[in-house]
Amino acid sequence: MTTVEEPVHEFPMTRTCPFAPPPAYEEIREEDAVSRVRLPDGGQAWVVTRLEDVRTVLNNRRFSADRQHPDFPQLVKGGFRRQGDERTMITMDAPEHGPARKAVLGEFTVRRMEALRPRIQQIVDERIDALLAGPKPGDLVEALSLPVPSLVICEMLGVPYGDHDFFQEHTAKLIKRSTSPEDRRAAFDTIRGYMADLIATKEANPPDDLLGRQIVKLREDGTYRREQLAATGFLLLVAGHETTANMISLSTVAFLRNPGQLAVIKDDPGKTLDAVEEMLRYWTIVDAATARLCVEDVEVGGQLIRAGEGVLALGYSANRDPRAFENADELDIERGARHHVAFGFGPHQCLGQNLARMELQIVFDTLFRRIPSLALGADVDDLPFKDDANIYGLYRLPVTW
């Protein structure tokens, strides 16, 4: 990547408050919105910080998502690239990306998600029953936040939920920044291998689950390859539980710290969907997954970015951009702003966003209705936030009632 000047900031940047982006985000956004940073491997990349510019990068084919490219920005020290690995759709560019996404898009339509609503409600109720039957304080992460999305995505894919400790252990290694390159590669290979073996058991008589339906469909199209479907299953399994689980925990903390905001959805559950959108904007837990590689010279925010240079489209900064959101650092669940980029933007926008929204809506409505006296079981300063992970969240969340 081209070097012009020594970067002022290093990436990833450090938070000083668990409820706000790193202070450097605002500094860059207001002073030099497209700036260079130094990456963990010593390379450099551009950071794009304003909402309009972030949306431009994510919706422009001159920015590639191909993480196997040797110049793609590496966000962890010793990050691995291995040619020949089956790629997931989030690492594909056109024309490969479109067909790969379309193949599973039908599994995540609003209509199909609505069909899942009764089962998700049942799961949430069962997990709250277990929380109430357990000790006080209880750990909301263990009792509710993690099991709900894990159970849902396991049932959708046809993955045995009894294996959830296994894939949660390896997922944690993938997203933790301090994981060694060797351990990260081993965790990656282990989950991929698990998924390939599971798919192999479904091939003789494909069941009516997402993976089974994909086997049938891809065979009919003449495009079935076990390893490629394993890559898709890997992506959906990891993304389908880790992100929503962290959003449940973080949003619960935000509600309990802002009783006036919580009162709004208690009084009018019709506003819960607005609350979901605001929590997504406010937290933006997946901030740097929108890294890209410029493949053709292009100007963004008045800055020329050249082919071969890496770009980090910082969604967390964009979602706190005062040009796009009034009083952007405040939590306001009646804001009604759905133009955030918490799910990304453009052709790679999150495939499972309809599912995530539904899970969050059901959890918020049910949790605070069934446990109206819910309270934090520890001081906020003592909560173990995931400052060391590429997906922000909480390791534990003590609650009482």
Side-chain angles (χ1 to χ4, degrees), residues 152-214:
V152 173
I153 196 62
C154 282
E155 290 186 6
M156 287 182 66
L157 292 172
V159 171
Y161 181 69
D163 293 340
H164 73 279
D165 285 340
F166 163 80
F167 59 73
Q168 178 61 30
E169 173 191 351
H170 292 287
T171 296
K173 293 178 182 178
L174 287 175
I175 65 176
K176 198 168 185 177
R177 295 190 190 120
S178 60
T179 301
S180 70
E182 296 78 17
D183 287 347
R184 183 173 287 107
R185 165 53 69 183
F188 177 90
D189 287 342
T190 298
I191 300 178
R192 282 284 191 97
Y194 168 88
M195 189 60 64
D197 290 344
L198 176 66
I199 290 169
T201 68
K202 297 175 183 284
E203 290 174 345
N205 186 23
D208 187 22
D209 55 40
L210 188 152
L211 293 174
R213 289 190 293 271
Q214 284 294 297

Short mmCIF file of all heavy atoms in Angstrom, two decimals, residues 152-214:
data_model
loop_
_atom_site.label_atom_id
_atom_site.label_comp_id
_atom_site.label_asym_id
_atom_site.label_seq_id
_atom_site.Cartn_x
_atom_site.Cartn_y
_atom_site.Cartn_z
N VAL A 152 -31.81 -20.35 17.86
CA VAL A 152 -32.52 -20.01 16.63
C VAL A 152 -31.69 -20.37 15.41
O VAL A 152 -32.18 -21.04 14.48
CB VAL A 152 -32.91 -18.53 16.60
CG1 VAL A 152 -33.49 -18.15 15.23
CG2 VAL A 152 -33.93 -18.22 17.70
N ILE A 153 -30.43 -19.95 15.37
CA ILE A 153 -29.63 -20.21 14.17
C ILE A 153 -29.30 -21.69 14.07
O ILE A 153 -29.24 -22.25 12.95
CB ILE A 153 -28.34 -19.35 14.15
CG1 ILE A 153 -27.73 -19.32 12.74
CG2 ILE A 153 -27.33 -19.83 15.18
CD1 ILE A 153 -28.61 -18.71 11.69
N CYS A 154 -29.13 -22.39 15.19
CA CYS A 154 -28.89 -23.83 15.13
C CYS A 154 -30.09 -24.55 14.53
O CYS A 154 -29.94 -25.45 13.69
CB CYS A 154 -28.58 -24.38 16.52
SG CYS A 154 -26.89 -24.07 17.09
N GLU A 155 -31.29 -24.18 14.96
CA GLU A 155 -32.48 -24.82 14.42
C GLU A 155 -32.66 -24.49 12.95
O GLU A 155 -33.08 -25.35 12.16
CB GLU A 155 -33.70 -24.41 15.23
CG GLU A 155 -33.70 -24.99 16.63
CD GLU A 155 -34.99 -24.72 17.40
OE1 GLU A 155 -35.94 -24.16 16.80
OE2 GLU A 155 -35.05 -25.06 18.60
N MET A 156 -32.37 -23.27 12.55
CA MET A 156 -32.48 -22.90 11.14
C MET A 156 -31.54 -23.71 10.27
O MET A 156 -31.91 -24.22 9.21
CB MET A 156 -32.20 -21.41 10.95
CG MET A 156 -33.29 -20.48 11.43
SD MET A 156 -32.88 -18.74 11.10
CE MET A 156 -32.89 -18.74 9.29
N LEU A 157 -30.30 -23.84 10.73
CA LEU A 157 -29.28 -24.53 9.93
C LEU A 157 -29.39 -26.05 10.04
O LEU A 157 -28.94 -26.77 9.13
CB LEU A 157 -27.88 -24.11 10.39
CG LEU A 157 -27.46 -22.67 10.11
CD1 LEU A 157 -26.14 -22.37 10.80
CD2 LEU A 157 -27.34 -22.41 8.62
N GLY A 158 -29.96 -26.53 11.13
CA GLY A 158 -29.93 -27.96 11.39
C GLY A 158 -28.64 -28.38 12.06
O GLY A 158 -28.11 -29.46 11.82
N VAL A 159 -28.12 -27.50 12.92
CA VAL A 159 -26.91 -27.77 13.70
C VAL A 159 -27.33 -28.20 15.10
O VAL A 159 -28.17 -27.54 15.73
CB VAL A 159 -26.02 -26.50 13.79
CG1 VAL A 159 -24.87 -26.72 14.77
CG2 VAL A 159 -25.49 -26.13 12.41
N PRO A 160 -26.81 -29.30 15.63
CA PRO A 160 -27.19 -29.73 16.98
C PRO A 160 -26.82 -28.67 18.02
O PRO A 160 -25.64 -28.32 18.16
CB PRO A 160 -26.38 -31.01 17.19
CG PRO A 160 -26.04 -31.49 15.81
CD PRO A 160 -25.88 -30.25 14.98
N TYR A 161 -27.81 -28.18 18.77
CA TYR A 161 -27.53 -27.16 19.77
C TYR A 161 -26.62 -27.70 20.86
O TYR A 161 -25.89 -26.94 21.50
CB TYR A 161 -28.83 -26.62 20.37
CG TYR A 161 -28.60 -25.54 21.40
CD1 TYR A 161 -28.12 -24.29 21.01
CD2 TYR A 161 -28.83 -25.78 22.75
CE1 TYR A 161 -27.88 -23.30 21.95
CE2 TYR A 161 -28.59 -24.79 23.70
CZ TYR A 161 -28.12 -23.55 23.30
OH TYR A 161 -27.88 -22.57 24.23
N GLY A 162 -26.63 -29.00 21.06
CA GLY A 162 -25.75 -29.59 22.05
C GLY A 162 -24.27 -29.33 21.79
O GLY A 162 -23.44 -29.47 22.68
N ASP A 163 -23.95 -28.93 20.56
CA ASP A 163 -22.56 -28.62 20.21
C ASP A 163 -22.23 -27.14 20.40
O ASP A 163 -21.15 -26.69 19.99
CB ASP A 163 -22.29 -29.00 18.75
CG ASP A 163 -22.36 -30.50 18.51
OD1 ASP A 163 -22.23 -31.25 19.49
OD2 ASP A 163 -22.56 -30.91 17.35
N HIS A 164 -23.14 -26.37 21.01
CA HIS A 164 -22.94 -24.91 21.03
C HIS A 164 -21.72 -24.50 21.84
O HIS A 164 -21.05 -23.52 21.50
CB HIS A 164 -24.19 -24.19 21.54
CG HIS A 164 -24.43 -24.33 23.02
ND1 HIS A 164 -25.02 -25.45 23.56
CD2 HIS A 164 -24.15 -23.51 24.06
CE1 HIS A 164 -25.11 -25.30 24.87
NE2 HIS A 164 -24.58 -24.14 25.21
N ASP A 165 -21.39 -25.23 22.91
CA ASP A 165 -20.18 -24.88 23.67
C ASP A 165 -18.94 -25.03 22.80
O ASP A 165 -18.00 -24.23 22.89
CB ASP A 165 -20.05 -25.77 24.91
CG ASP A 165 -21.02 -25.39 26.01
OD1 ASP A 165 -21.52 -24.24 25.99
OD2 ASP A 165 -21.29 -26.22 26.88
N PHE A 166 -18.95 -26.05 21.96
CA PHE A 166 -17.82 -26.31 21.06
C PHE A 166 -17.61 -25.15 20.09
O PHE A 166 -16.51 -24.58 20.00
CB PHE A 166 -18.07 -27.60 20.29
CG PHE A 166 -17.22 -27.79 19.07
CD1 PHE A 166 -15.91 -28.25 19.17
CD2 PHE A 166 -17.73 -27.49 17.80
CE1 PHE A 166 -15.13 -28.41 18.03
CE2 PHE A 166 -16.96 -27.66 16.67
CZ PHE A 166 -15.65 -28.11 16.78
N PHE A 167 -18.69 -24.75 19.37
CA PHE A 167 -18.44 -23.69 18.38
C PHE A 167 -18.35 -22.31 19.02
O PHE A 167 -17.70 -21.42 18.47
CB PHE A 167 -19.45 -23.73 17.21
CG PHE A 167 -20.91 -23.59 17.56
CD1 PHE A 167 -21.45 -22.38 17.95
CD2 PHE A 167 -21.77 -24.67 17.43
CE1 PHE A 167 -22.79 -22.24 18.23
CE2 PHE A 167 -23.13 -24.55 17.71
CZ PHE A 167 -23.64 -23.32 18.12
N GLN A 168 -18.93 -22.12 20.22
CA GLN A 168 -18.77 -20.85 20.91
C GLN A 168 -17.32 -20.66 21.34
O GLN A 168 -16.75 -19.58 21.23
CB GLN A 168 -19.70 -20.78 22.12
CG GLN A 168 -19.57 -19.51 22.95
CD GLN A 168 -19.88 -18.26 22.15
OE1 GLN A 168 -20.69 -18.31 21.22
NE2 GLN A 168 -19.24 -17.15 22.49
N GLU A 169 -16.70 -21.74 21.81
CA GLU A 169 -15.29 -21.69 22.22
C GLU A 169 -14.40 -21.27 21.05
O GLU A 169 -13.51 -20.41 21.20
CB GLU A 169 -14.86 -23.06 22.73
CG GLU A 169 -13.37 -23.17 23.03
CD GLU A 169 -12.91 -24.60 23.29
OE1 GLU A 169 -13.78 -25.49 23.41
OE2 GLU A 169 -11.69 -24.82 23.34
N HIS A 170 -14.63 -21.84 19.90
CA HIS A 170 -13.77 -21.54 18.75
C HIS A 170 -14.13 -20.19 18.12
O HIS A 170 -13.24 -19.49 17.61
CB HIS A 170 -13.85 -22.67 17.73
CG HIS A 170 -13.23 -23.94 18.22
ND1 HIS A 170 -11.88 -24.11 18.33
CD2 HIS A 170 -13.79 -25.11 18.66
CE1 HIS A 170 -11.62 -25.32 18.81
NE2 HIS A 170 -12.76 -25.94 19.02
N THR A 171 -15.40 -19.80 18.17
CA THR A 171 -15.79 -18.48 17.68
C THR A 171 -15.10 -17.39 18.50
O THR A 171 -14.63 -16.39 17.95
CB THR A 171 -17.31 -18.31 17.75
OG1 THR A 171 -17.94 -19.25 16.88
CG2 THR A 171 -17.71 -16.90 17.32
N ALA A 172 -15.06 -17.58 19.81
CA ALA A 172 -14.41 -16.60 20.68
C ALA A 172 -12.95 -16.39 20.29
O ALA A 172 -12.44 -15.26 20.33
CB ALA A 172 -14.52 -17.04 22.14
N LYS A 173 -12.28 -17.46 19.90
CA LYS A 173 -10.89 -17.33 19.47
C LYS A 173 -10.78 -16.55 18.16
O LYS A 173 -9.82 -15.80 17.96
CB LYS A 173 -10.27 -18.72 19.29
CG LYS A 173 -10.11 -19.50 20.59
CD LYS A 173 -9.54 -20.89 20.32
CE LYS A 173 -9.43 -21.69 21.60
NZ LYS A 173 -8.92 -23.07 21.35
N LEU A 174 -11.76 -16.71 17.29
CA LEU A 174 -11.72 -16.01 16.01
C LEU A 174 -11.84 -14.50 16.17
O LEU A 174 -11.22 -13.74 15.43
CB LEU A 174 -12.84 -16.51 15.10
CG LEU A 174 -12.69 -17.91 14.49
CD1 LEU A 174 -13.96 -18.28 13.73
CD2 LEU A 174 -11.49 -17.97 13.56
N ILE A 175 -12.66 -14.06 17.12
CA ILE A 175 -12.95 -12.63 17.20
C ILE A 175 -12.10 -11.89 18.23
O ILE A 175 -12.11 -10.66 18.27
CB ILE A 175 -14.44 -12.38 17.50
CG1 ILE A 175 -14.83 -12.92 18.87
CG2 ILE A 175 -15.31 -12.99 16.41
CD1 ILE A 175 -16.26 -12.62 19.25
N LYS A 176 -11.35 -12.64 19.04
CA LYS A 176 -10.51 -11.99 20.04
C LYS A 176 -9.21 -11.52 19.39
O LYS A 176 -8.51 -12.29 18.73
CB LYS A 176 -10.22 -12.95 21.19
CG LYS A 176 -9.75 -12.28 22.46
CD LYS A 176 -9.77 -13.24 23.63
CE LYS A 176 -9.41 -12.53 24.92
NZ LYS A 176 -9.50 -13.42 26.10
N ARG A 177 -8.87 -10.26 19.58
CA ARG A 177 -7.71 -9.69 18.90
C ARG A 177 -6.40 -10.30 19.37
O ARG A 177 -5.42 -10.35 18.61
CB ARG A 177 -7.66 -8.18 19.12
CG ARG A 177 -8.82 -7.41 18.50
CD ARG A 177 -8.58 -5.92 18.56
NE ARG A 177 -9.78 -5.19 18.19
CZ ARG A 177 -10.41 -4.33 18.98
NH1 ARG A 177 -9.95 -4.10 20.19
NH2 ARG A 177 -11.50 -3.71 18.57
N SER A 178 -6.35 -10.77 20.61
CA SER A 178 -5.10 -11.29 21.16
C SER A 178 -4.83 -12.74 20.77
O SER A 178 -3.77 -13.27 21.09
CB SER A 178 -5.12 -11.18 22.69
OG SER A 178 -6.21 -11.92 23.24
N THR A 179 -5.76 -13.38 20.09
CA THR A 179 -5.55 -14.76 19.66
C THR A 179 -4.36 -14.83 18.70
O THR A 179 -4.25 -14.02 17.78
CB THR A 179 -6.80 -15.32 18.95
OG1 THR A 179 -7.91 -15.27 19.86
CG2 THR A 179 -6.60 -16.76 18.52
N SER A 180 -3.48 -15.80 18.90
CA SER A 180 -2.32 -15.92 18.02
C SER A 180 -2.76 -16.34 16.62
O SER A 180 -3.82 -16.95 16.46
CB SER A 180 -1.35 -16.97 18.58
OG SER A 180 -1.90 -18.27 18.45
N PRO A 181 -1.94 -16.03 15.61
CA PRO A 181 -2.31 -16.44 14.24
C PRO A 181 -2.52 -17.94 14.13
O PRO A 181 -3.42 -18.40 13.41
CB PRO A 181 -1.10 -15.98 13.41
CG PRO A 181 -0.50 -14.86 14.19
CD PRO A 181 -0.73 -15.20 15.63
N GLU A 182 -1.70 -18.71 14.84
CA GLU A 182 -1.83 -20.17 14.77
C GLU A 182 -3.14 -20.64 15.38
O GLU A 182 -3.84 -21.50 14.82
CB GLU A 182 -0.65 -20.82 15.50
CG GLU A 182 0.71 -20.56 14.88
CD GLU A 182 1.26 -19.17 15.20
OE1 GLU A 182 0.76 -18.53 16.16
OE2 GLU A 182 2.19 -18.72 14.49
N ASP A 183 -3.51 -20.07 16.52
CA ASP A 183 -4.76 -20.46 17.17
C ASP A 183 -5.98 -19.98 16.38
O ASP A 183 -7.00 -20.66 16.34
CB ASP A 183 -4.82 -19.91 18.60
CG ASP A 183 -3.89 -20.65 19.55
OD1 ASP A 183 -3.39 -21.73 19.16
OD2 ASP A 183 -3.65 -20.14 20.66
N ARG A 184 -5.85 -18.81 15.76
CA ARG A 184 -6.97 -18.31 14.95
C ARG A 184 -7.19 -19.21 13.74
O ARG A 184 -8.32 -19.55 13.39
CB ARG A 184 -6.71 -16.86 14.53
CG ARG A 184 -7.88 -16.25 13.73
CD ARG A 184 -7.67 -14.77 13.46
NE ARG A 184 -7.87 -13.99 14.67
CZ ARG A 184 -6.91 -13.41 15.37
NH1 ARG A 184 -5.64 -13.52 14.96
NH2 ARG A 184 -7.17 -12.73 16.46
N ARG A 185 -6.13 -19.61 13.10
CA ARG A 185 -6.22 -20.51 11.94
C ARG A 185 -6.80 -21.86 12.38
O ARG A 185 -7.66 -22.43 11.70
CB ARG A 185 -4.85 -20.69 11.30
CG ARG A 185 -4.72 -21.86 10.33
CD ARG A 185 -5.77 -21.87 9.26
NE ARG A 185 -5.62 -20.80 8.29
CZ ARG A 185 -6.47 -20.59 7.30
NH1 ARG A 185 -7.52 -21.38 7.15
NH2 ARG A 185 -6.29 -19.61 6.46
N ALA A 186 -6.35 -22.36 13.52
CA ALA A 186 -6.85 -23.65 14.00
C ALA A 186 -8.35 -23.57 14.31
O ALA A 186 -9.11 -24.50 14.00
CB ALA A 186 -6.08 -24.09 15.24
N ALA A 187 -8.79 -22.47 14.92
CA ALA A 187 -10.21 -22.31 15.22
C ALA A 187 -11.03 -22.24 13.94
O ALA A 187 -12.11 -22.84 13.83
CB ALA A 187 -10.42 -21.05 16.06
N PHE A 188 -10.52 -21.51 12.96
CA PHE A 188 -11.17 -21.38 11.66
C PHE A 188 -11.33 -22.76 11.02
O PHE A 188 -12.42 -23.15 10.58
CB PHE A 188 -10.34 -20.45 10.79
CG PHE A 188 -10.84 -20.26 9.39
CD1 PHE A 188 -11.73 -19.24 9.09
CD2 PHE A 188 -10.40 -21.07 8.36
CE1 PHE A 188 -12.19 -19.06 7.80
CE2 PHE A 188 -10.83 -20.90 7.06
CZ PHE A 188 -11.74 -19.88 6.78
N ASP A 189 -10.24 -23.50 10.97
CA ASP A 189 -10.27 -24.82 10.34
C ASP A 189 -11.17 -25.79 11.10
O ASP A 189 -11.85 -26.63 10.49
CB ASP A 189 -8.86 -25.40 10.26
CG ASP A 189 -8.01 -24.70 9.20
OD1 ASP A 189 -8.57 -24.04 8.32
OD2 ASP A 189 -6.77 -24.83 9.26
N THR A 190 -11.20 -25.67 12.42
CA THR A 190 -12.01 -26.58 13.23
C THR A 190 -13.50 -26.38 12.96
O THR A 190 -14.24 -27.35 12.77
CB THR A 190 -11.71 -26.37 14.73
OG1 THR A 190 -10.33 -26.68 14.97
CG2 THR A 190 -12.59 -27.27 15.58
N ILE A 191 -13.93 -25.12 12.93
CA ILE A 191 -15.36 -24.86 12.69
C ILE A 191 -15.74 -25.23 11.26
O ILE A 191 -16.79 -25.83 11.02
CB ILE A 191 -15.72 -23.40 13.00
CG1 ILE A 191 -15.41 -23.05 14.45
CG2 ILE A 191 -17.21 -23.16 12.73
CD1 ILE A 191 -15.70 -21.62 14.82
N ARG A 192 -14.86 -24.89 10.31
CA ARG A 192 -15.14 -25.26 8.92
C ARG A 192 -15.23 -26.78 8.78
O ARG A 192 -16.11 -27.29 8.09
CB ARG A 192 -14.03 -24.72 8.00
CG ARG A 192 -14.13 -23.24 7.67
CD ARG A 192 -15.21 -22.97 6.63
NE ARG A 192 -15.13 -21.61 6.14
CZ ARG A 192 -14.51 -21.24 5.03
NH1 ARG A 192 -13.93 -22.14 4.27
NH2 ARG A 192 -14.49 -19.97 4.67
N GLY A 193 -14.30 -27.49 9.42
CA GLY A 193 -14.31 -28.95 9.34
C GLY A 193 -15.56 -29.53 9.97
O GLY A 193 -16.16 -30.48 9.45
N TYR A 194 -15.95 -28.98 11.10
CA TYR A 194 -17.19 -29.41 11.76
C TYR A 194 -18.38 -29.25 10.83
O TYR A 194 -19.22 -30.15 10.69
CB TYR A 194 -17.39 -28.59 13.03
CG TYR A 194 -18.77 -28.73 13.65
CD1 TYR A 194 -19.05 -29.73 14.56
CD2 TYR A 194 -19.80 -27.84 13.31
CE1 TYR A 194 -20.30 -29.87 15.13
CE2 TYR A 194 -21.06 -27.98 13.86
CZ TYR A 194 -21.31 -28.98 14.77
OH TYR A 194 -22.56 -29.12 15.31
N MET A 195 -18.45 -28.08 10.18
CA MET A 195 -19.59 -27.82 9.30
C MET A 195 -19.58 -28.76 8.08
O MET A 195 -20.63 -29.26 7.67
CB MET A 195 -19.55 -26.35 8.85
CG MET A 195 -20.80 -25.89 8.12
SD MET A 195 -22.31 -26.00 9.09
CE MET A 195 -21.96 -24.84 10.41
N ALA A 196 -18.42 -29.01 7.52
CA ALA A 196 -18.32 -29.92 6.37
C ALA A 196 -18.75 -31.33 6.76
O ALA A 196 -19.47 -32.01 6.01
CB ALA A 196 -16.90 -29.93 5.80
N ASP A 197 -18.33 -31.78 7.94
CA ASP A 197 -18.72 -33.11 8.40
C ASP A 197 -20.23 -33.20 8.63
O ASP A 197 -20.87 -34.21 8.30
CB ASP A 197 -17.98 -33.47 9.69
CG ASP A 197 -16.49 -33.70 9.47
OD1 ASP A 197 -16.08 -33.88 8.30
OD2 ASP A 197 -15.74 -33.68 10.47
N LEU A 198 -20.80 -32.15 9.19
CA LEU A 198 -22.24 -32.12 9.43
C LEU A 198 -23.01 -32.19 8.11
O LEU A 198 -23.99 -32.93 7.98
CB LEU A 198 -22.61 -30.86 10.20
CG LEU A 198 -24.11 -30.64 10.45
CD1 LEU A 198 -24.65 -31.71 11.39
CD2 LEU A 198 -24.35 -29.25 11.05
N ILE A 199 -22.56 -31.41 7.14
CA ILE A 199 -23.23 -31.39 5.83
C ILE A 199 -23.14 -32.76 5.18
O ILE A 199 -24.09 -33.23 4.54
CB ILE A 199 -22.62 -30.29 4.94
CG1 ILE A 199 -23.02 -28.90 5.50
CG2 ILE A 199 -23.06 -30.43 3.49
CD1 ILE A 199 -22.26 -27.75 4.87
N ALA A 200 -22.01 -33.43 5.34
CA ALA A 200 -21.85 -34.77 4.76
C ALA A 200 -22.91 -35.73 5.28
O ALA A 200 -23.39 -36.60 4.54
CB ALA A 200 -20.45 -35.30 5.05
N THR A 201 -23.30 -35.56 6.55
CA THR A 201 -24.32 -36.45 7.12
C THR A 201 -25.70 -36.17 6.56
O THR A 201 -26.61 -37.00 6.68
CB THR A 201 -24.37 -36.32 8.65
OG1 THR A 201 -24.88 -35.03 9.02
CG2 THR A 201 -23.00 -36.51 9.27
N LYS A 202 -25.88 -35.00 5.96
CA LYS A 202 -27.19 -34.62 5.44
C LYS A 202 -27.36 -34.96 3.95
O LYS A 202 -28.46 -34.89 3.41
CB LYS A 202 -27.40 -33.10 5.62
CG LYS A 202 -27.42 -32.61 7.06
CD LYS A 202 -27.50 -31.08 7.11
CE LYS A 202 -27.46 -30.55 8.53
NZ LYS A 202 -28.74 -30.74 9.24
N GLU A 203 -26.27 -35.33 3.27
CA GLU A 203 -26.31 -35.45 1.82
C GLU A 203 -27.18 -36.61 1.32
O GLU A 203 -27.87 -36.48 0.30
CB GLU A 203 -24.89 -35.59 1.28
CG GLU A 203 -24.09 -34.30 1.39
CD GLU A 203 -22.63 -34.48 0.99
OE1 GLU A 203 -22.17 -35.63 0.90
OE2 GLU A 203 -21.96 -33.45 0.79
N ALA A 204 -27.17 -37.73 2.00
CA ALA A 204 -27.91 -38.90 1.52
C ALA A 204 -29.42 -38.64 1.54
O ALA A 204 -30.14 -39.06 0.63
CB ALA A 204 -27.57 -40.13 2.36
N ASN A 205 -29.88 -37.96 2.58
CA ASN A 205 -31.31 -37.67 2.72
C ASN A 205 -31.46 -36.27 3.28
O ASN A 205 -31.71 -36.09 4.47
CB ASN A 205 -31.96 -38.71 3.64
CG ASN A 205 -33.46 -38.55 3.70
OD1 ASN A 205 -34.09 -37.98 2.79
ND2 ASN A 205 -34.06 -39.03 4.78
N PRO A 206 -31.33 -35.23 2.45
CA PRO A 206 -31.31 -33.84 2.94
C PRO A 206 -32.57 -33.50 3.74
O PRO A 206 -33.69 -33.66 3.24
CB PRO A 206 -31.23 -33.01 1.65
CG PRO A 206 -30.60 -33.92 0.65
CD PRO A 206 -31.12 -35.30 0.99
N PRO A 207 -32.41 -33.04 4.98
CA PRO A 207 -33.57 -32.69 5.81
C PRO A 207 -34.12 -31.32 5.41
O PRO A 207 -33.52 -30.57 4.64
CB PRO A 207 -32.98 -32.67 7.22
CG PRO A 207 -31.54 -32.30 7.01
CD PRO A 207 -31.14 -32.92 5.70
N ASP A 208 -35.28 -30.99 5.99
CA ASP A 208 -35.92 -29.71 5.69
C ASP A 208 -35.39 -28.65 6.65
O ASP A 208 -36.13 -28.10 7.49
CB ASP A 208 -37.44 -29.83 5.79
CG ASP A 208 -38.14 -28.55 5.31
OD1 ASP A 208 -37.52 -27.80 4.53
OD2 ASP A 208 -39.30 -28.33 5.72
N ASP A 209 -34.10 -28.38 6.55
CA ASP A 209 -33.50 -27.25 7.24
C ASP A 209 -32.71 -26.46 6.22
O ASP A 209 -32.64 -26.84 5.04
CB ASP A 209 -32.62 -27.70 8.43
CG ASP A 209 -31.55 -28.72 8.02
OD1 ASP A 209 -30.95 -28.56 6.94
OD2 ASP A 209 -31.30 -29.67 8.79
N LEU A 210 -32.13 -25.36 6.62
CA LEU A 210 -31.46 -24.48 5.65
C LEU A 210 -30.37 -25.22 4.89
O LEU A 210 -30.29 -25.12 3.65
CB LEU A 210 -30.91 -23.24 6.35
CG LEU A 210 -30.34 -22.13 5.46
CD1 LEU A 210 -30.49 -20.78 6.16
CD2 LEU A 210 -28.90 -22.35 5.07
N LEU A 211 -29.53 -25.95 5.59
CA LEU A 211 -28.45 -26.65 4.91
C LEU A 211 -28.99 -27.75 4.01
O LEU A 211 -28.50 -27.94 2.88
CB LEU A 211 -27.47 -27.23 5.94
CG LEU A 211 -26.67 -26.21 6.75
CD1 LEU A 211 -25.85 -26.91 7.83
CD2 LEU A 211 -25.77 -25.36 5.86
N GLY A 212 -30.00 -28.47 4.48
CA GLY A 212 -30.59 -29.52 3.65
C GLY A 212 -31.24 -28.96 2.40
O GLY A 212 -31.09 -29.52 1.29
N ARG A 213 -31.94 -27.86 2.54
CA ARG A 213 -32.57 -27.24 1.37
C ARG A 213 -31.53 -26.72 0.39
O ARG A 213 -31.73 -26.76 -0.83
CB ARG A 213 -33.51 -26.11 1.81
CG ARG A 213 -34.78 -26.61 2.51
CD ARG A 213 -35.78 -25.49 2.71
NE ARG A 213 -35.31 -24.49 3.65
CZ ARG A 213 -35.52 -24.51 4.97
NH1 ARG A 213 -36.16 -25.55 5.52
NH2 ARG A 213 -35.10 -23.54 5.75
N GLN A 214 -30.41 -26.23 0.92
CA GLN A 214 -29.33 -25.77 0.04
C GLN A 214 -28.73 -26.93 -0.75
O GLN A 214 -28.41 -26.79 -1.93
CB GLN A 214 -28.26 -25.06 0.85
CG GLN A 214 -28.64 -23.66 1.29
CD GLN A 214 -28.78 -22.70 0.12
OE1 GLN A 214 -27.83 -22.44 -0.61
NE2 GLN A 214 -29.99 -22.20 -0.10
#
